[in-house]
Amino acid sequence: MYKVLLADDEILDLEGMRSFIPWESLGMTVVDSVNNGFAAWEVLQREDIDILVTDVRMPNMTGIELAQKALKIHDELQVIFVSGYQDFSYVKQAIALNACNYVLKPMEDQELIEELTKVRIELDRLHDRKETERAYQLMVPILKNQYLLQILQKPYDGAMLGVIKREYQLHEMNWPVRVILLEVDDVSSWRSNHYELENPSGLNEQYFTSLHKQLESCGFRHICKVTDQRMAVLMEMTKGKEEIQSLLTALGQEYPLTVTVGEGGTANRLEELHPSYVMAEGALDYKMFRGKGKWILYNEVPTEDREDAKSLDIRLDSLFTAMTNYEIVKIHDEIEAIQLLASNIRSKFTVRNLGVYIILKLDAHLHTMHEDLFRMLGIELKNLDVLLQFETMDDIFSWLRMKVFEISEQLKFRKSSKNGRLVEEIIDNIRERVHENITLRDMANRFSFSPNYLGVLFKEETGYNFSDYVIKLRMERARDLLVSTKLKIYEVASQTGYQYLPYFSRQFKEMYGMTPLEYRRKHS
């Protein structure tokens, strides 16, 4: 409701305006009605008035003088002057005041209502403009984050770089700078029960919010969120590693997690930030060899170790394929090759860390087959501490070899079983129709089973309820479309059976720990 002040030295006119104008239906409320300029001025000083309706000619202080004073303290105040024909000299002064309306006496109620309606429209427009400006101010940090992230993740043309330099003062940085990436280590590194560990992304967000504020207070001006687990910072020459390490140490006392930092090479101008960012990513990839909670410089990572890291992923992919197909000889050969690769690592800790890395990669691979490593082995994630009990690399790889063959045999058995073949056929059918509304009853009718029996059989073979399994397939299909196509997010949602975009985004984040847009940016 807009607040209105009425001022007129003629009492009958004043009471008439207050009583016969439908203020509430106009979206207005009369705060006060006074019979002289001084009283009106007192009200204007203590109340946030939107509309002033005043007689032009009042004793001691005219309506013109009142409006002039009022507009100095309420620059968006809307004024409606009321006066007779004989006061034309006042009319000229009223017109000189911007955004003021004029109603002549004797006036009809409808005339004043029409002027009030015009004023309300103008106030609505001003309100909308303010809301737009306020929304823009709220968007500025988000836009800055996006622009900076785009500069880091891919080269930009000169025109765009020019705009970003001007808008975000990147040209004022003290060059050279380095890109550093701060990554929260995975859940196995958490040490406290005081937080809800079932929601790691929420804890990460709290941590990064605190870190962002403290970095800014220390003079680090250019910071952006990369994913729920990563933050990028431009480290200028005048701000060094020691300051950031000090902040991380302090936050480590408050939050039950560790952070690994990857530092890229030197950038001497804006266009070189992208290569520095790529180097920082490469430094973080070396975490599996160096360990968590470390500050890793890209230039300190031996070239041969970078190649070893790439070779390891290639070997693991080959090993997982052999396991899926139950190729015994190839499984043996790939494990031997991985062990030879690991023999170049001198630290016991990093070798054991490599063992955990292989297990977690295998679990991720099995998830693509709708299997769960820890359920298949009958162990929990926390029980991987068993790797720390081994004294030699041969012990670790003997254990891994045994588990790999065990899993491969389970996969073979499931493929060969009658129910397994049926479930595989059902899964293939779901994949073909993942964009449709798929129910257990529809599937039971298609394969001539009762829904209850098929639901039990399906869970025995896959370990998942039918509906949960459909969601997994949809999310995996969405994940592939986000990386391999340029479809809009809502188009990806539609092609995976979701018509309501927020629901799709929520389910995707629950499965992958980030929104569809964040996932696309990370993996494009």
Side-chain angles (χ1 to χ4, degrees), residues 390-454:
F390 299 128
E391 295 182 354
T392 68
M393 187 162 55
D394 287 340
D395 292 338
I396 291 176
F397 275 89
S398 293
W399 184 84
L400 286 173
R401 185 180 289 105
M402 177 180 66
K403 295 303 179 184
V404 162
F405 279 116
E406 181 181 332
I407 292 167
S408 186
E409 288 177 357
Q410 288 191 45
L411 292 175
K412 179 188 177 185
F413 174 77
R414 292 188 183 189
K415 279 188 173 181
S416 62
S417 69
K418 179 181 178 181
N419 288 344
R421 289 195 298 272
L422 171 63
V423 170
E424 284 295 325
E425 190 175 349
I426 291 173
I427 291 171
D428 289 340
N429 189 272
I430 295 172
R431 285 199 179 99
E432 292 174 2
R433 302 170 51 214
V434 74
H435 59 286
E436 300 177 13
N437 181 25
I438 304 171
T439 66
L440 178 60
R441 181 173 295 280
D442 291 339
M443 199 61 65
N445 291 337
R446 180 180 289 265
F447 289 90
S448 301
F449 286 99
S450 73
N452 288 340
Y453 175 76
L454 185 62

Side-chain angles (χ1 to χ4, degrees), residues 17 19 43 45 54 57 72 135 175 203 245 252 257 301 303 346 353 402 475 490 500 508 514:
M17 286 190 292
S19 301
V43 175
Q45 287 180 299
T54 178
R57 189 161 60 175
K72 289 180 181 179
W175 300 93
L203 183 58
Q245 284 182 316
L257 46 77
V301 179
T303 304
R346 297 288 178 257
N353 195 49
M402 177 180 66
M475 293 296 101
Y490 70 85
Y500 185 53
F508 190 93
M514 61 188 78

Side-chain angles (χ1 to χ4, degrees), residues 40-57:
W41 175 240
E42 289 179 2
V43 175
L44 285 163
Q45 287 180 299
R46 69 171 185 266
E47 295 281 354
D48 189 14
I49 299 298
D50 299 299
I51 304 169
L52 170 63
V53 181
T54 178
D55 191 5
V56 168
R57 189 161 60 175

